[in-house]
């Protein structure tokens, strides 16, 4: 039975991969980061490893570099399975480090299993030279800088959208206050009419006034709830981008 080591810091991802692979005849072991994966692999080498890239303690790129310079592990296929590093430059960097496949999350189960079996059949691809640590740091720094720039741009775009939403909420709140005042005045007027004309109006008219008072009270409560929700939304405010 083929033994697969899956490496991911997300428990849900580990659970999914374990269920998928074990359900198709693989024996599965797992680790939550690269350092733990190296320890397990050196103790009992797997037949194949599937690793995320963005992880604490030791990320997937560093794990891949250690994997390909280890005399026992370098012949074991290494599959990158990532959602964060999704650009062509990320794939090129992983392949340059010796990755045997680069799969983007989320992959359809059939596609994922097909790629795994292809890698399993072809075996590990050992690169002619593994990047040195300074080269690794330089290349990886470039990847991180690009990711940070992308994140900054997304945060700025999100902040602009939040600012527009806040302006719309403020306008909506102003309109609600106007409606609230109108309904409140109407309710006060109806209650005054009910009090002053209780002995003068027919019972049928009094029932109609009571119904109008009840409906106005319900509308007033709904408006007050909407005002509370709007204030809570506005209190969240935009991110400062840090």
């Amino acid at each position: 039975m083929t033994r697969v080591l899956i490496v991911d810091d997300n428990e849900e991802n580990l659970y999914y991969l374990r269920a998928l692979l074990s359900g198709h005849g693989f024996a599965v072991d797992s680790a939550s980061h690269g350092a733990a994966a190296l320890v397990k692999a050196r103790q009992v080498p797997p037949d194949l490893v599937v690793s995320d890239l963005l992880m604490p303690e030791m990320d997937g790129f560093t794990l891949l570099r250690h994997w390909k310079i280890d005399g026992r592990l370098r012949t074991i296929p290494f599959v990158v399975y990532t959602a964060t590093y999704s650009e062509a430059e990320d794939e090129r960097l992983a392949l340059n480090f010796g990755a045997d496949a680069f799969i983007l999350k989320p992959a359809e189960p059939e596609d994922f299993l097909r790629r795994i079996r292809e890698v399993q059949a072809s075996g590990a691809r050992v690169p002619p030279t593994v990047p040195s640590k300074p080269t690794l740091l330089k290349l990886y720094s470039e990847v991180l800088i690009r990711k940070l720039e992308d994140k900054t741009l997304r945060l700025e775009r999100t902040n602009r959208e939040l600012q527009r939403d806040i302006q719309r909420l403020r306008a909506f709140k102003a309109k609600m206050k106007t409606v609230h005042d109108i309904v409140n005045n109407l309710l006060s007027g109806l209650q005054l009419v009910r009090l002053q004309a209780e002995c003068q109006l027919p019972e049928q008219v009094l029932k109609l006034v009571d119904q109008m008072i009840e409906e106005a009270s319900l509308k007033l409560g709904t408006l007050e709830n909407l005002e509370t929700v709007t204030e809570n939304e506005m209190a969240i405010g935009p991110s400062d981008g840090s």
Side-chain angles (χ1 to χ4, degrees), residues 70-151:
D70 187 293
R72 294 180 65 197
L73 301 180
R74 65 184 308 187
T75 58
I76 299 172
F78 193 110
V79 175
V80 169
Y81 189 44
T82 179
T84 304
Y85 293 91
S86 56
E87 303 296 329
E89 293 86 349
D90 304 328
E91 180 175 5
R92 186 159 51 249
L93 179 60
L95 295 177
N96 286 340
F97 283 0
D100 300 284
F102 189 93
I103 306 174
L104 292 179
K105 297 177 184 177
E108 291 294 328
E110 297 79 7
D111 295 335
F112 178 82
L113 291 169
R114 175 180 54 79
R115 295 290 303 279
I116 294 298
R117 293 191 177 107
E118 288 174 354
V119 171
Q120 185 183 4
S122 59
R125 180 182 63 86
V126 180
T129 58
V130 177
S132 64
K133 189 171 183 178
T135 302
L136 168 67
L137 291 174
K138 178 178 181 296
L139 295 173
Y140 191 35
S141 295
E142 292 173 355
V143 170
L144 286 178
I145 289 171
R146 190 179 71 253
K147 292 297 176 188
L148 288 172
E149 289 174 345
D150 291 343
K151 182 179 180 181

Coordinates of all heavy atoms in Angstrom, one line a residue, residues 70-151:
D70 N 18.2 16.0 0.8 CA 18.4 14.8 1.7 C 18.5 13.6 0.8 O 17.7 13.3 -0.1 CB 17.1 14.7 2.5 CG 17.2 13.6 3.6 OD1 17.3 12.4 3.2 OD2 17.3 14.0 4.8
G71 N 19.6 12.8 1.1 CA 19.9 11.7 0.3 C 18.8 10.6 0.2 O 18.6 9.9 -0.8
R72 N 18.1 10.5 1.3 CA 17.0 9.4 1.4 C 15.7 9.9 0.8 O 14.9 9.2 0.3 CB 16.8 9.0 2.8 CG 18.0 8.2 3.5 CD 17.6 7.9 4.9 NE 16.5 6.9 4.9 CZ 15.8 6.6 6.0 NH1 16.1 7.3 7.1 NH2 14.9 5.7 6.0
L73 N 15.5 11.2 1.0 CA 14.1 11.8 0.6 C 14.0 12.3 -0.8 O 12.9 12.3 -1.4 CB 13.7 12.9 1.6 CG 13.7 12.5 3.1 CD1 13.3 13.7 3.9 CD2 12.7 11.4 3.3
R74 N 15.2 12.6 -1.4 CA 15.1 13.3 -2.7 C 14.5 12.5 -3.8 O 14.0 13.0 -4.8 CB 16.5 13.8 -3.1 CG 17.5 12.7 -3.3 CD 18.9 13.2 -3.6 NE 18.9 14.2 -4.7 CZ 20.0 14.8 -5.2 NH1 21.1 14.4 -4.8 NH2 19.9 15.7 -6.1
T75 N 14.5 11.2 -3.6 CA 13.9 10.3 -4.7 C 12.4 10.0 -4.4 O 11.8 9.3 -5.2 CB 14.7 9.0 -4.7 OG1 14.6 8.3 -3.4 CG2 16.1 9.2 -5.1
I76 N 11.9 10.6 -3.4 CA 10.5 10.5 -3.1 C 9.7 11.7 -3.7 O 10.1 12.8 -3.4 CB 10.2 10.4 -1.5 CG1 11.0 9.2 -0.9 CG2 8.8 10.4 -1.2 CD1 11.0 9.2 0.6
P77 N 8.7 11.4 -4.5 CA 8.0 12.5 -5.1 C 7.4 13.5 -4.2 O 6.8 13.1 -3.1 CB 6.9 11.8 -5.9 CG 7.4 10.4 -6.1 CD 8.2 10.1 -4.9
F78 N 7.5 14.8 -4.5 CA 7.0 15.9 -3.7 C 6.0 16.7 -4.5 O 6.3 17.2 -5.5 CB 8.2 16.8 -3.3 CG 7.9 17.8 -2.2 CD1 8.4 17.6 -1.0 CD2 7.0 18.9 -2.5 CE1 8.2 18.6 0.0 CE2 6.8 19.8 -1.5 CZ 7.3 19.6 -0.2
V79 N 4.7 16.7 -4.0 CA 3.6 17.4 -4.7 C 3.2 18.6 -3.8 O 3.0 18.5 -2.6 CB 2.4 16.4 -4.8 CG1 1.2 17.2 -5.4 CG2 2.7 15.2 -5.7
V80 N 3.2 19.8 -4.5 CA 2.8 21.0 -3.8 C 1.3 21.1 -4.1 O 0.8 21.0 -5.2 CB 3.5 22.2 -4.4 CG1 2.9 23.5 -4.0 CG2 5.0 22.2 -4.0
Y81 N 0.5 21.4 -3.0 CA -0.9 21.6 -3.0 C -1.2 22.9 -2.3 O -1.2 22.9 -1.1 CB -1.6 20.4 -2.4 CG -3.1 20.4 -2.6 CD1 -3.7 20.7 -3.9 CD2 -4.0 20.0 -1.6 CE1 -5.1 20.6 -4.1 CE2 -5.4 20.0 -1.8 CZ -5.9 20.3 -3.0 OH -7.3 20.2 -3.2
T82 N -1.5 24.0 -3.0 CA -1.6 25.3 -2.4 C -2.7 26.1 -2.9 O -3.2 26.0 -4.1 CB -0.3 26.0 -2.6 OG1 -0.3 27.3 -2.0 CG2 0.0 26.2 -4.1
A83 N -3.2 27.0 -2.1 CA -4.2 28.0 -2.5 C -3.7 29.4 -2.5 O -4.1 30.2 -3.3 CB -5.5 27.9 -1.6
T84 N -2.7 29.6 -1.6 CA -2.1 31.0 -1.4 C -1.2 31.3 -2.6 O -1.2 32.4 -3.1 CB -1.4 31.1 -0.1 OG1 -2.3 30.7 0.9 CG2 -0.9 32.5 0.1
Y85 N -0.3 30.4 -2.9 CA 0.7 30.7 -4.0 C 0.1 30.1 -5.3 O 0.3 29.0 -5.6 CB 2.0 30.0 -3.6 CG 2.7 30.6 -2.4 CD1 2.4 30.2 -1.1 CD2 3.6 31.7 -2.6 CE1 3.1 30.7 0.0 CE2 4.2 32.3 -1.5 CZ 3.9 31.8 -0.2 OH 4.5 32.4 0.9
S86 N -0.6 31.0 -6.0 CA -1.3 30.6 -7.2 C -0.9 31.1 -8.5 O -1.4 30.9 -9.5 CB -2.8 30.9 -7.0 OG -3.0 32.3 -6.7
E87 N 0.2 32.0 -8.4 CA 0.7 32.6 -9.6 C 1.6 31.7 -10.4 O 2.2 30.8 -9.8 CB 1.4 33.9 -9.3 CG 0.5 34.9 -8.5 CD -0.7 35.4 -9.3 OE1 -0.5 35.5 -10.6 OE2 -1.7 35.7 -8.7
A88 N 1.9 32.0 -11.7 CA 2.8 31.3 -12.5 C 4.2 31.3 -11.9 O 4.9 30.3 -12.0 CB 2.8 31.8 -13.9
E89 N 4.6 32.4 -11.4 CA 5.9 32.6 -10.8 C 6.1 31.6 -9.6 O 7.2 31.1 -9.3 CB 6.2 34.0 -10.3 CG 6.3 35.0 -11.5 CD 4.9 35.6 -11.9 OE1 3.9 35.0 -11.4 OE2 4.9 36.5 -12.6
D90 N 5.0 31.4 -8.8 CA 5.0 30.5 -7.7 C 5.2 29.1 -8.1 O 6.0 28.4 -7.5 CB 3.7 30.6 -6.9 CG 3.4 32.1 -6.4 OD1 4.4 32.8 -6.2 OD2 2.2 32.4 -6.3
E91 N 4.5 28.7 -9.2 CA 4.7 27.4 -9.7 C 6.1 27.2 -10.2 O 6.7 26.1 -10.0 CB 3.7 27.1 -10.8 CG 3.8 25.7 -11.4 CD 2.7 25.4 -12.4 OE1 1.9 26.3 -12.7 OE2 2.6 24.3 -12.9
R92 N 6.6 28.2 -11.0 CA 7.9 28.1 -11.5 C 9.0 27.9 -10.4 O 9.9 27.1 -10.5 CB 8.2 29.3 -12.4 CG 9.5 29.2 -13.1 CD 9.6 30.1 -14.4 NE 9.1 31.5 -14.0 CZ 8.0 32.0 -14.4 NH1 7.2 31.3 -15.2 NH2 7.7 33.3 -14.1
L93 N 8.8 28.7 -9.3 CA 9.8 28.6 -8.2 C 9.7 27.2 -7.6 O 10.8 26.6 -7.3 CB 9.4 29.7 -7.2 CG 10.3 29.7 -5.9 CD1 11.7 30.0 -6.3 CD2 9.8 30.8 -5.0
A94 N 8.5 26.7 -7.4 CA 8.4 25.3 -6.8 C 9.0 24.3 -7.7 O 9.7 23.4 -7.2 CB 6.9 25.0 -6.5
L95 N 8.8 24.4 -9.0 CA 9.4 23.4 -9.9 C 10.9 23.5 -10.0 O 11.6 22.5 -10.1 CB 8.7 23.5 -11.3 CG 7.2 23.2 -11.3 CD1 6.7 23.5 -12.8 CD2 6.9 21.8 -10.9
N96 N 11.4 24.7 -9.9 CA 12.8 24.9 -9.9 C 13.5 24.3 -8.6 O 14.6 23.9 -8.7 CB 13.2 26.4 -9.9 CG 12.9 27.0 -11.3 OD1 12.9 26.3 -12.3 ND2 12.8 28.3 -11.4
F97 N 12.7 24.3 -7.5 CA 13.2 23.7 -6.3 C 13.1 22.2 -6.4 O 13.7 21.5 -5.5 CB 12.5 24.2 -5.1 CG 12.9 25.5 -4.7 CD1 13.9 26.3 -5.3 CD2 12.3 26.1 -3.6 CE1 14.3 27.5 -4.9 CE2 12.7 27.4 -3.1 CZ 13.7 28.1 -3.8
G98 N 12.4 21.6 -7.4 CA 12.4 20.2 -7.5 C 11.0 19.6 -7.3 O 10.9 18.3 -7.3
A99 N 10.0 20.4 -7.1 CA 8.6 19.8 -7.0 C 8.2 19.0 -8.2 O 8.6 19.3 -9.3 CB 7.6 20.9 -6.7
D100 N 7.5 17.9 -7.9 CA 7.2 17.0 -9.0 C 5.8 17.3 -9.6 O 5.4 16.9 -10.7 CB 7.2 15.5 -8.5 CG 8.6 15.2 -8.1 OD1 9.4 14.9 -8.9 OD2 8.8 15.1 -6.8
A101 N 5.0 18.1 -8.9 CA 3.7 18.5 -9.4 C 3.3 19.8 -8.5 O 3.7 19.9 -7.4 CB 2.6 17.5 -9.3
F102 N 2.5 20.6 -9.2 CA 2.0 21.8 -8.5 C 0.5 21.9 -8.8 O 0.0 22.1 -9.9 CB 2.7 23.1 -9.1 CG 2.4 24.4 -8.4 CD1 3.3 24.8 -7.4 CD2 1.3 25.1 -8.8 CE1 3.1 26.0 -6.8 CE2 1.1 26.3 -8.1 CZ 2.0 26.8 -7.1
I103 N -0.3 21.7 -7.7 CA -1.7 21.6 -7.8 C -2.4 22.7 -7.0 O -2.0 22.9 -5.8 CB -2.2 20.2 -7.3 CG1 -1.5 19.1 -8.0 CG2 -3.7 20.1 -7.5 CD1 -1.9 17.7 -7.4
L104 N -3.3 23.4 -7.6 CA -4.0 24.5 -6.9 C -5.2 24.0 -6.1 O -6.0 23.2 -6.6 CB -4.4 25.6 -7.9 CG -3.3 26.4 -8.6 CD1 -3.9 27.4 -9.6 CD2 -2.4 27.1 -7.5
K105 N -5.4 24.5 -4.9 CA -6.6 24.2 -4.2 C -7.7 25.2 -4.6 O -7.4 26.4 -4.9 CB -6.4 24.5 -2.7 CG -5.3 23.6 -2.0 CD -5.2 24.0 -0.5 CE -4.1 23.2 0.2 NZ -3.9 23.7 1.6
P106 N -8.9 24.8 -4.6 CA -9.4 23.4 -4.3 C -9.4 22.6 -5.7 O -10.0 23.2 -6.6 CB -10.7 23.5 -3.7 CG -11.3 24.8 -4.4 CD -10.1 25.7 -4.6
A107 N -8.8 21.5 -5.7 CA -8.9 20.7 -7.0 C -10.0 19.7 -6.9 O -10.4 19.2 -5.8 CB -7.6 19.9 -7.2
E108 N -10.7 19.4 -8.0 CA -11.7 18.3 -8.0 C -11.0 17.0 -7.6 O -9.9 16.7 -8.0 CB -12.3 18.2 -9.4 CG -13.2 19.4 -9.8 CD -14.4 19.5 -8.9 OE1 -14.9 18.5 -8.5 OE2 -14.8 20.7 -8.7
P109 N -11.7 16.2 -6.8 CA -11.2 14.9 -6.3 C -10.6 14.1 -7.4 O -9.5 13.5 -7.3 CB -12.3 14.2 -5.6 CG -13.2 15.3 -5.2 CD -13.1 16.4 -6.2
E110 N -11.3 13.9 -8.5 CA -10.8 13.1 -9.6 C -9.5 13.7 -10.2 O -8.6 12.9 -10.5 CB -11.9 13.0 -10.7 CG -13.2 12.3 -10.3 CD -14.1 13.2 -9.5 OE1 -13.8 14.4 -9.4 OE2 -15.1 12.7 -9.0
D111 N -9.5 15.0 -10.4 CA -8.3 15.6 -11.0 C -7.1 15.5 -10.0 O -6.0 15.2 -10.4 CB -8.6 17.1 -11.2 CG -9.6 17.3 -12.3 OD1 -9.8 16.4 -13.2 OD2 -10.2 18.4 -12.3
F112 N -7.4 15.7 -8.7 CA -6.3 15.6 -7.7 C -5.7 14.1 -7.7 O -4.5 14.0 -7.8 CB -6.8 15.9 -6.3 CG -5.8 15.8 -5.2 CD1 -4.9 16.8 -5.0 CD2 -5.8 14.6 -4.5 CE1 -4.0 16.7 -4.0 CE2 -4.9 14.5 -3.4 CZ -4.0 15.5 -3.2
L113 N -6.6 13.1 -7.7 CA -6.1 11.8 -7.7 C -5.4 11.4 -9.0 O -4.4 10.6 -8.9 CB -7.3 10.8 -7.4 CG -8.0 10.9 -6.0 CD1 -9.3 10.1 -6.0 CD2 -7.0 10.3 -5.0
R114 N -5.9 11.9 -10.1 CA -5.2 11.6 -11.3 C -3.8 12.2 -11.3 O -2.8 11.5 -11.7 CB -6.0 12.3 -12.5 CG -5.3 12.1 -13.9 CD -6.1 12.8 -15.0 NE -6.5 14.1 -14.7 CZ -5.6 15.2 -14.8 NH1 -4.4 14.9 -15.3 NH2 -6.0 16.4 -14.6
R115 N -3.6 13.4 -10.8 CA -2.2 14.0 -10.8 C -1.4 13.2 -9.8 O -0.2 13.0 -10.1 CB -2.3 15.5 -10.3 CG -3.0 16.4 -11.3 CD -2.2 16.6 -12.5 NE -0.9 17.2 -12.3 CZ -0.7 18.5 -12.0 NH1 -1.7 19.3 -12.0 NH2 0.6 18.9 -11.8
I116 N -1.9 12.8 -8.7 CA -1.1 12.0 -7.7 C -0.7 10.7 -8.3 O 0.5 10.3 -8.2 CB -2.0 11.7 -6.4 CG1 -2.3 13.0 -5.7 CG2 -1.3 10.7 -5.5 CD1 -1.1 13.7 -5.2
R117 N -1.6 10.0 -9.1 CA -1.2 8.7 -9.7 C -0.2 9.0 -10.8 O 0.7 8.1 -11.0 CB -2.5 8.0 -10.2 CG -3.4 7.6 -9.1 CD -4.5 6.7 -9.6 NE -5.3 6.2 -8.5 CZ -6.6 6.6 -8.3 NH1 -7.1 7.5 -9.1 NH2 -7.3 6.1 -7.3
E118 N -0.3 10.1 -11.5 CA 0.7 10.4 -12.5 C 2.1 10.6 -11.9 O 3.1 10.0 -12.4 CB 0.3 11.6 -13.3 CG -0.9 11.4 -14.2 CD -1.3 12.8 -14.9 OE1 -0.8 13.8 -14.5 OE2 -2.2 12.7 -15.7
V119 N 2.2 11.3 -10.8 CA 3.4 11.5 -10.1 C 4.0 10.2 -9.6 O 5.2 9.9 -9.7 CB 3.3 12.6 -9.0 CG1 4.5 12.6 -8.2 CG2 3.0 13.9 -9.6
Q120 N 3.1 9.4 -9.0 CA 3.4 8.1 -8.5 C 4.0 7.2 -9.5 O 5.0 6.5 -9.3 CB 2.2 7.5 -7.8 CG 2.5 6.2 -7.1 CD 1.2 5.5 -6.6 OE1 0.1 6.0 -6.8 NE2 1.4 4.5 -5.8
A121 N 3.5 7.3 -10.7 CA 3.9 6.4 -11.8 C 5.3 6.9 -12.4 O 6.1 6.0 -12.7 CB 2.9 6.4 -12.9
S122 N 5.5 8.2 -12.5 CA 6.7 8.7 -13.1 C 7.9 8.8 -12.1 O 9.0 8.9 -12.5 CB 6.4 10.1 -13.7 OG 6.0 11.0 -12.7
G123 N 7.6 8.9 -10.8 CA 8.6 8.9 -9.8 C 9.1 10.4 -9.6 O 8.6 11.3 -10.2
A124 N 10.1 10.5 -8.7 CA 10.6 11.8 -8.3 C 11.4 12.4 -9.4 O 12.2 11.7 -10.1 CB 11.3 11.8 -7.0
R125 N 11.3 13.7 -9.6 CA 12.2 14.5 -10.5 C 13.2 15.2 -9.7 O 13.0 16.1 -9.0 CB 11.3 15.5 -11.3 CG 12.1 16.3 -12.3 CD 11.1 17.3 -13.0 NE 10.6 18.2 -12.0 CZ 11.2 19.3 -11.7 NH1 12.4 19.6 -12.2 NH2 10.6 20.2 -10.8
V126 N 14.5 14.7 -9.8 CA 15.6 15.3 -9.1 C 16.2 16.4 -9.9 O 16.7 16.1 -11.0 CB 16.6 14.3 -8.7 CG1 17.7 14.9 -7.9 CG2 16.0 13.2 -7.9
P127 N 16.2 17.7 -9.5 CA 16.7 18.7 -10.3 C 18.3 18.6 -10.3 O 18.9 18.1 -9.4 CB 16.3 20.0 -9.5 CG 16.1 19.5 -8.1 CD 15.6 18.1 -8.2
P128 N 18.9 19.1 -11.4 CA 20.3 19.0 -11.5 C 21.0 19.7 -10.4 O 22.0 19.2 -9.8 CB 20.6 19.7 -12.9 CG 19.4 19.7 -13.6 CD 18.3 19.7 -12.6
T129 N 20.5 20.8 -10.0 CA 21.1 21.6 -8.8 C 20.0 22.1 -8.0 O 19.0 22.6 -8.5 CB 22.0 22.8 -9.3 OG1 21.2 23.6 -10.1 CG2 23.2 22.3 -10.1
V130 N 20.1 22.0 -6.7 CA 19.2 22.6 -5.8 C 19.6 23.9 -5.3 O 20.8 24.1 -5.0 CB 19.0 21.7 -4.5 CG1 18.0 22.3 -3.5 CG2 18.6 20.3 -4.9
P131 N 18.8 25.0 -5.4 CA 19.2 26.3 -5.0 C 19.9 26.4 -3.6 O 19.4 25.7 -2.7 CB 17.9 27.1 -5.0 CG 17.0 26.3 -6.0 CD 17.4 24.9 -5.8
S132 N 20.9 27.1 -3.5 CA 21.6 27.3 -2.2 C 20.7 28.1 -1.3 O 19.7 28.7 -1.8 CB 22.9 28.1 -2.4 OG 22.6 29.4 -2.9
K133 N 21.0 28.2 0.0 CA 20.2 28.9 0.9 C 20.1 30.4 0.6 O 19.0 31.0 0.6 CB 20.7 28.7 2.3 CG 19.8 29.3 3.4 CD 20.2 28.9 4.8 CE 19.3 29.4 5.8 NZ 19.7 29.0 7.2
P134 N 21.2 31.1 0.2 CA 21.1 32.5 -0.2 C 20.1 32.7 -1.4 O 19.4 33.6 -1.5 CB 22.5 32.9 -0.5 CG 23.3 32.0 0.3 CD 22.6 30.7 0.3
T135 N 20.3 31.8 -2.4 CA 19.4 31.9 -3.5 C 17.9 31.6 -3.1 O 17.0 32.3 -3.6 CB 19.8 30.8 -4.6 OG1 21.2 31.0 -5.0 CG2 18.9 30.9 -5.8
L136 N 17.7 30.6 -2.3 CA 16.4 30.4 -1.8 C 15.8 31.6 -1.1 O 14.7 32.0 -1.4 CB 16.4 29.2 -0.8 CG 15.1 29.0 0.1 CD1 14.0 28.5 -0.8 CD2 15.4 28.0 1.2
L137 N 16.6 32.3 -0.2 CA 16.1 33.4 0.5 C 15.8 34.6 -0.5 O 14.8 35.3 -0.3 CB 17.1 33.9 1.5 CG 17.3 33.0 2.7 CD1 18.5 33.5 3.6 CD2 16.1 32.9 3.5
K138 N 16.6 34.7 -1.5 CA 16.4 35.8 -2.5 C 15.1 35.5 -3.3 O 14.2 36.4 -3.4 CB 17.6 35.9 -3.5 CG 17.4 37.0 -4.5 CD 18.6 37.1 -5.4 CE 18.5 38.1 -6.5 NZ 17.4 37.8 -7.4
L139 N 15.0 34.3 -3.8 CA 13.8 34.0 -4.6 C 12.5 34.0 -3.7 O 11.5 34.5 -4.2 CB 14.0 32.6 -5.2 CG 15.1 32.5 -6.3 CD1 15.3 31.0 -6.7 CD2 14.8 33.3 -7.5
Y140 N 12.6 33.5 -2.5 CA 11.5 33.5 -1.7 C 11.1 34.9 -1.2 O 9.9 35.2 -1.1 CB 11.8 32.6 -0.5 CG 10.5 32.2 0.3 CD1 9.3 32.1 -0.3 CD2 10.6 32.1 1.7 CE1 8.2 31.8 0.5 CE2 9.5 31.8 2.5 CZ 8.3 31.6 1.9 OH 7.2 31.3 2.6
S141 N 12.1 35.7 -1.0 CA 11.8 37.1 -0.6 C 11.0 37.8 -1.7 O 10.1 38.6 -1.4 CB 13.1 37.8 -0.3 OG 13.7 37.3 0.8
E142 N 11.4 37.5 -2.9 CA 10.7 38.2 -4.1 C 9.2 37.7 -4.1 O 8.3 38.5 -4.4 CB 11.4 37.8 -5.4 CG 12.8 38.4 -5.5 CD 13.5 37.9 -6.7 OE1 13.0 37.0 -7.4 OE2 14.6 38.4 -7.0
V143 N 9.0 36.4 -3.8 CA 7.7 35.9 -3.8 C 6.9 36.5 -2.7 O 5.7 37.0 -2.9 CB 7.7 34.4 -3.6 CG1 6.3 33.8 -3.3 CG2 8.2 33.7 -4.9
L144 N 7.5 36.7 -1.5 CA 6.8 37.3 -0.3 C 6.5 38.7 -0.6 O 5.4 39.2 -0.3 CB 7.6 37.1 0.9 CG 7.7 35.7 1.5 CD1 8.6 35.7 2.8 CD2 6.3 35.2 1.9
I145 N 7.4 39.4 -1.2 CA 7.2 40.9 -1.5 C 6.0 41.0 -2.4 O 5.1 41.9 -2.2 CB 8.4 41.5 -2.1 CG1 9.5 41.6 -1.0 CG2 8.1 42.9 -2.7 CD1 10.9 42.0 -1.5
R146 N 5.9 40.2 -3.4 CA 4.8 40.2 -4.4 C 3.5 39.9 -3.7 O 2.5 40.6 -3.9 CB 5.0 39.2 -5.5 CG 4.0 39.4 -6.7 CD 4.2 38.5 -7.8 NE 3.9 37.1 -7.5 CZ 4.8 36.1 -7.3 NH1 6.1 36.4 -7.3 NH2 4.4 34.9 -7.0
K147 N 3.5 38.9 -2.8 CA 2.3 38.6 -2.0 C 1.9 39.7 -1.1 O 0.7 40.0 -1.0 CB 2.5 37.3 -1.2 CG 2.7 36.0 -2.0 CD 1.5 35.7 -2.8 CE 1.7 34.5 -3.6 NZ 0.6 34.2 -4.6
L148 N 2.8 40.4 -0.5 CA 2.5 41.5 0.4 C 1.9 42.7 -0.4 O 1.0 43.4 0.0 CB 3.7 41.9 1.2 CG 4.2 41.0 2.3 CD1 5.5 41.4 2.9 CD2 3.1 40.9 3.4
E149 N 2.5 42.9 -1.6 CA 2.0 44.0 -2.5 C 0.6 43.7 -2.9 O -0.3 44.5 -2.9 CB 2.9 44.1 -3.7 CG 4.3 44.7 -3.3 CD 5.2 44.8 -4.5 OE1 4.9 44.1 -5.5 OE2 6.2 45.5 -4.5
D150 N 0.3 42.4 -3.3 CA -1.0 42.0 -3.7 C -2.0 42.2 -2.5 O -3.1 42.7 -2.7 CB -1.0 40.6 -4.1 CG -0.3 40.4 -5.5 OD1 -0.1 41.4 -6.1 OD2 0.1 39.2 -5.8
K151 N -1.6 41.8 -1.3 CA -2.4 41.9 -0.1 C -2.7 43.4 0.2 O -3.9 43.7 0.5 CB -1.8 41.3 1.1 CG -2.7 41.3 2.3 CD -2.0 40.6 3.5 CE -2.9 40.7 4.7 NZ -2.2 40.1 5.9

